[in-house]
Amino acid sequence: MHLIERAEHMRELAAMYTEVERGRGRAALITGATGIGKTRLLDAAAAHAERHGARVLLAFAAPAERDRPFAVLEQLLRQAPLDPETRGRVAELVGTADSGPTGGSGADRADPSGWADLPDRADPSGWADLSGWSDPSGWADRVDRTGREFGRILLRALDRGPVLLGVDDVQDADAESLRVLVNLAPRLQRTPLFLLLTRNGHVDSIRNHELLELLHRFDFQRLQLAALSRQGVAELLARAPGGRPADEATARHCHAVSGGNPLLVLGLAGDRAATTPDGRPADVPGPAFREAVLFALHRMPSEIRSAAQRMAVLGPVTAALAEREDADPSCRYAAERLTAVGLLDRHHRFRHAAVRETVLATVPTARRVGIHHYAARVLYEAGRPATDVAEHLVDSDGPFPAWAVDTLQGAAEHLLACGDVETAAAHLRLARRLADEPERRAVVGALLAQADWQLRPAAAARGTAGVLASMRAGELPRRHLGTLGRLLFRQGLPDEGAEALLALADPAARSDFADASELAFSLRWLSTSFPGEFRALPEDVRALAAPTAAPADPAAPAVEPRRAVDLLHAVLTRRATDEDLRRVERVVSGRRLTPATVEPVLDWLAAAVYTERLDLAAAECEDLLRQAEARKVPHWQAVLAGWRAEIAQRRGEPAAVVERHARTALTRMPERAWGAGIAGPISALVLAAAGRGDHETAADLLGRPLPRGLFRSRHGLRYLHARGHAQLAAGRPLAAVADFTSCRRLMTEWDLDLPALVPWRTDLAQALLRLDRQAEARALAQEQLDLVRCTSGATHGMTLRHLAAATESPARQVVLLKRSARLLQACGHPRESALTMFALSRAYVELGEAQQARTAARRTQSLLEQERPARVPAPRVRPDADPVGCPPPRAGEPACGEEPARTEERLSEAEQRVAQLASRGCTNREIADLLHITVSTVEQHLTRVYRKLGVARRTKLADRLRELSLEAA
C-alpha cells in the first residue's frame, strides 16, 4: 500500500513495532480529520506487523454499534486464534450482553464498584471479583462478569507472541469494550502488544469517560495527520485508480477545491478519469467528488452536519451569526471541524460551489425555510446591512416582522444603485405585498415600476398604471414624481408624464429645495429628450428649467445626472464651451452601468455622438453593451444596441453592422415598450435599406405604427431624417423636401438647430438639387458650412461636398472637395470619403486634368474596398482603366484618349457611366449615390444598356464592354 506524505509516520510506527517484538508493549494514537487517511495508515501498520509475524486483530467502530455492548471486542476476538470451545463461549457471552438493556452511553451504564480502576496487585489476573453492591435488574452484574471473562480470553490470546490490536474510529467504540481495553494498561510494559488506535482529532469525539480514561491510562505516542500539500495532491491524482498525471494548474485547482483531504482528492481523481457519453472529459468536480463530500459529511456527528446545512443555506452571513454573544457556541467549533475536513476554507467559506450545492441537497425544504427565518431575525437584531437581512426574508415563508417592509425597501434601493436589478425587484415585490400603508405601497410600487421597466419593459406598464393611480390619489410622495414623469415619457405616455411633472411643479405643494431641484432637473431633461412636450408646458413651468444647480456635496448621487443633462443641453443648443467639449472626452470613458447611472451615461453618450466624438462613443458603447449583457438587463441591452447602430451609421461602418445592432435592439425589447425611442433602431434600418436600394423593406419599416408623441421628441427628428432619405432614394424628392422641411421647423422651434444632430440643410439641399433648384441648395449648404466651420467632424466634410455639388465652377468644386476629403479621411469615414473622391474626379475631368482624375478615381476605388464587407469582393481597377474618374465621351470624342466604342447602337453618356460602375460590382444604390441620381433611374439605364449590348444579366456586362473597348473592370 503506497502512502503519500505519510512516510515519516510509517517509520515511527515501524520503530514502535520493533520494540514490541522485543517484548515491550507500545501504544499509538493516530488522529486527524475525517478522510485524512487514518484508516489507510492503520492498515499499512497492520500489514507491516503481519509481514513480521505478528497476529493482527482489527476492529472498526461505528456510530450505529456505539450502544451495543462488546461490539468492538467481539470483532477483535473473532480474529483471535481461539479453540472451538472458547469461540463458542465468546458467542455466548456476546448474546448474554446483548440481552440486557440497550441505549445510553457508557457513563449511563457506569460500574459503581469501579472495577476497572482496581490496582494490578489486587488481582494477579487483573480481573477483580466484585461484591457489595446491588443491581435490581442484574444487567450490570452480567455485563461485569462478561467483561471479566472477555478480558481473560483476550489475555490468553496475547500470550502467543506479538499482537497488533487496532481499533479504527475509537471514538465510536462501545463503552464496555473500552473498559476491557483500559484494563490492559497495567500489562502493556510486559506484554508484546502493539495497541494502535485511530480517532477523529477533535475534542468532541471523546463521548464517554471510558474513552477518556483509555487515552490517559496508556502512554500513547500521538501521530497527527495533516492535509496533503499541492505536490501530494498531484501525486495522488496520478496514483489513484484510473488516475493520470496532473499539471501544475490542475494540481493547484484540485488542492484548492479539496483542501488537501485525500478522500476529496480521490473523488476529484475519479471525476478526472470519467468521460461523458460523447467521449469528452467529464466536469471536475463531478459526481465522484460530491459522493466524497457526502461520505465525509455523514461520518461527522449530527450536530456538525446540521451546522454544515445551516452554513450552506445562510452562506456568507454564517460568521456574523457565530459572532453574536447569544449564538450557539458550537457554531464556530463546527466551522473549525468542517475546515479541518476540507469542506470550508480558512475564512469559513465553502471551498467550491459543488460542496455547498451537495450540502444544500441534504437540507429538507421546511428546515431551509426555518433557517432563513431565524437568520433574518438574528441578522436584523445584530444590525447587519439590509441587503443581508432581506435576502433571508425573501427566502423565508413568514410570519414577517413589522420591520420587514423597511428592510426590503432599503435593500432594494441599495441593490438598484449597485446594478442588481433582478434581486432588487424580488425584494420590492415582497415589500409591496407586505405594505399596508397607502403611501408606503405607492413608494414601493414606484421603485418596482423602475426596476420592471429595465427587466420586463413590456409588462412594466401595469405597474406604472398602479403608481399613476396612487399619484392621482395623493399617496405618492413628491420626491418620486420627477422619476415617475421621466419613466412615463420613456414608456410612450407623454400626457401622463406631463401630468406627473405638473403635479411636481404645483407651487402650492412645492416646499423645499429638493422639490425645486428635482423639478428643474426633470424639466431640463424634458427639454433635451422631448422638446415638443416641454414647449407644450405652461410658460411659468418652463421658466423653472434653469440649469440644475448641483447639491453642495459633490459626491451626492444627484450630481452626475444633472451635470450630464446640462452638458447635453449645452451641446444640442450650440452653447457648449470649449471646457464642455473637453469634459465630454473625460466623462464618457469607463462609465459603470447601474440603474442609478444609466440616465447620465446615456446623456454622456449622446453628447459624445452629437459632438462627433464617434470613435470614443463607439468604444464606450461597446463596453456598456458588455456590462448590460453581463447584468442581463433587457432595457439596457436594447437602448445601447440602438445607440451602437446609430454610431455605426454615422461612422460609415458597413450596413451589415448597422443592421445587426439595430435588429438586436428590437429583439431585446418589444416594440410597444420602446416609446419614442424606437425611432432610433427603426431609422438606422431604414437608412441601411434605402442605401442598398431596398425600397420595399424601407417602406415596410416606415409603415409600422408610430408611438405617441414621436414628433415631439428628439427621436422624431432622426425618424424624419431617415424617412426623407428613403423618399429621396425612391425618386420622390418632393416628399423628401416635406420631411426635411419638417426637421427644419421643429429644430428651429425647439432651439436644437445642431447639424450634427440632423443636418437638415444639406438634406434639403440634396432634395432641391434633384428638383434643379441649385441656388437654394447652394444657399442652404453655405448656411450649414457657416455653422460647422469651426468643427472637424464628418458633418463638416459632408457639408463641403454638398456645397461643391451645388457650385457651378469646377475649380471651386476642387477646392471644396479637397477640404472635404481631408476632413473625412481624418474622421475615418470610408464611404463618405469615396463619394467625395468620386466627385473630385469628375471635377478634375471638367477641368481637363485627366491624370488627377485618374488618381482620384483610384482613390475612390480603394475607399470602396475599405467600406465593403470582407465577404463581398471589391471591384478591381487598372490604372489605365479610368473607371469612374472620366466622364463618358461626348459625341465624336474619344473617352480619355481612347478610341470610342464601335457599337450598333451607341450608349448615351449616362448609360455609359452606369454600365462602367455596374460592371465593377457596384450596387444600384451605390451607383445612384455616386452619380447623384435615383435608384429607379439607374434601373432604367441598365435596362437600356442590356438591350443595346445584347446581354441578359450583369455578370456578362464586363465581358461585353471589354469587347467594345469600354472595359471598366
Side-chain angles (χ1 to χ4, degrees), residues 780-798:
L780 288 169
Q782 183 62 54
E783 184 179 343
Q784 181 162 301
L785 181 61
D786 293 339
L787 294 175
V788 301
R789 193 180 300 276
C790 296
T791 66
S792 57
T795 302
H796 189 172
M798 290 186 283

Side-chain angles (χ1 to χ4, degrees), residues 34-35 258 261-269 271 286-300 341 343 355 358:
T34 301
S258 66
N261 185 306
L263 173 65
L264 303 181
V265 176
L266 287 172
L268 294 171
D271 289 327
F289 176 78
R290 295 173 189 271
E291 291 172 7
V293 170
L294 284 176
F295 181 81
L297 196 65
H298 286 287
R299 291 293 301 273
M300 297 179 188
V341 174
L343 301 183
V355 180
T358 302

Side-chain angles (χ1 to χ4, degrees), residues 772-896:
D772 294 328
R773 294 159 64 177
Q774 191 170 6
E776 295 174 69
R778 184 165 55 252
L780 288 169
Q782 183 62 54
E783 184 179 343
Q784 181 162 301
L785 181 61
D786 293 339
L787 294 175
V788 301
R789 193 180 300 276
C790 296
T791 66
S792 57
T795 302
H796 189 172
M798 290 186 283
T799 301
L800 288 166
R801 187 181 70 243
H802 294 310
L803 179 58
T807 300
E808 294 180 354
S809 168
R812 177 61 177 162
Q813 289 177 8
V814 168
V815 173
L816 295 171
L817 291 169
K818 282 185 175 180
R819 290 168 55 194
S820 172
R822 285 194 296 270
L823 285 168
L824 291 170
Q825 185 175 1
C827 295
H829 202 314
R831 179 159 183 84
E832 294 298 331
S833 296
L835 293 173
T836 294
M837 294 307 298
F838 176 71
L840 183 59
S841 70
R842 297 180 64 187
Y844 276 130
V845 169
E846 291 295 326
L847 290 174
E849 299 181 13
Q851 184 57 43
Q852 295 281 23
R854 286 191 174 88
T855 300
R858 285 193 292 270
R859 180 60 180 154
T860 302
Q861 193 66 45
S862 175
L863 291 166
L864 286 175
E865 290 175 357
Q866 295 178 33
E867 194 271 343
R868 283 179 179 275
R871 65 179 182 275
V872 179
R876 299 176 59 190
V877 179
R878 293 202 332 245
D880 59 345
D882 191 21
V884 292
C886 296
R890 293 186 176 90
E893 295 181 357
C896 294

Side-chain angles (χ1 to χ4, degrees), residues 472-540:
R472 289 167 176 161
E475 297 168 352
L476 184 66
R478 295 177 54 78
R479 66 180 183 277
H480 294 281
L481 292 177
T483 303
L484 175 61
R486 298 194 299 276
L487 177 60
L488 290 167
F489 276 113
R490 290 194 188 92
Q491 290 182 335
L493 301 171
D495 296 338
E496 292 81 353
E499 180 183 353
L501 294 187
L502 288 174
L504 180 60
D506 184 1
R510 191 171 68 252
S511 58
D512 57 15
F513 173 79
D515 285 350
S517 180
E518 174 66 14
L519 176 61
F521 165 63
S522 296
L523 292 175
R524 194 77 161 175
W525 172 85
L526 191 66
S527 69
T528 60
S529 299
F530 293 85
E533 302 291 350
F534 175 76
R535 296 285 171 175
L537 294 174
E539 185 176 353
D540 59 331

Side-chain angles (χ1 to χ4, degrees), residues 295-357:
F295 181 81
L297 196 65
H298 286 287
R299 291 293 301 273
M300 297 179 188
S302 59
E303 58 269 23
I304 302 299
R305 290 198 300 273
S306 296
Q309 291 174 337
R310 286 197 302 273
M311 293 176 185
V313 172
L314 300 180
V317 302
T318 306
L321 294 177
E323 291 168 2
R324 285 177 49 84
E325 293 181 1
D326 60 344
D328 184 352
S330 66
C331 182
R332 181 178 294 277
Y333 179 68
E336 293 172 354
R337 284 287 307 268
L338 293 166
T339 301
V341 174
L343 301 183
L344 305 182
D345 62 17
R346 61 190 180 88
H347 301 294
H348 296 168
R349 296 174 303 197
F350 286 101
R351 285 186 170 273
H352 193 276
V355 180
R356 182 169 185 250
E357 292 166 5

Side-chain angles (χ1 to χ4, degrees), residues 412-620:
E413 290 175 345
H414 176 77
L415 290 167
L416 286 172
C418 295
D420 191 351
V421 188
E422 186 72 51
T423 307
H427 292 357
L428 290 169
R429 289 190 190 93
L430 179 58
R432 184 177 60 179
R433 179 162 63 88
L434 299 179
D436 52 7
E437 299 175 2
E439 181 174 320
R440 172 55 58 82
R441 191 162 45 245
V443 171
V444 171
L447 293 172
L448 182 57
Q450 296 176 52
D452 278 342
W453 168 242
Q454 297 172 72
L455 290 172
R456 287 165 285 275
R462 291 192 297 272
T464 307
V467 180
L468 195 59
S470 298
M471 180 197 75
R472 289 167 176 161
E475 297 168 352
L476 184 66
R478 295 177 54 78
R479 66 180 183 277
H480 294 281
L481 292 177
T483 303
L484 175 61
R486 298 194 299 276
L487 177 60
L488 290 167
F489 276 113
R490 290 194 188 92
Q491 290 182 335
L493 301 171
D495 296 338
E496 292 81 353
E499 180 183 353
L501 294 187
L502 288 174
L504 180 60
D506 184 1
R510 191 171 68 252
S511 58
D512 57 15
F513 173 79
D515 285 350
S517 180
E518 174 66 14
L519 176 61
F521 165 63
S522 296
L523 292 175
R524 194 77 161 175
W525 172 85
L526 191 66
S527 69
T528 60
S529 299
F530 293 85
E533 302 291 350
F534 175 76
R535 296 285 171 175
L537 294 174
E539 185 176 353
D540 59 331
V541 175
R542 297 202 307 271
L544 301 174
T548 53
D553 179 10
V559 171
E560 189 171 77
R562 295 173 185 185
R563 287 178 176 170
V565 78
D566 285 344
L567 176 60
L568 180 58
H569 185 273
V571 169
L572 290 173
T573 56
R574 304 204 315 273
R575 296 183 178 90
T577 63
D578 291 341
E579 175 57 29
D580 289 333
L581 299 181
R582 285 191 292 271
R583 187 149 53 102
V584 170
E585 298 185 2
R586 290 199 305 271
V587 300
V588 169
S589 301
R591 310 307 295 179
R592 182 168 175 266
L593 203 57
T594 70
T597 63
V598 66
E599 282 192 50
V601 161
L602 292 176
D603 285 343
W604 296 127
L605 189 62
V609 172
Y610 299 145
T611 55
E612 300 192 270
R613 271 79 172 167
L614 297 178
D615 290 342
L616 175 66
E620 178 63 14

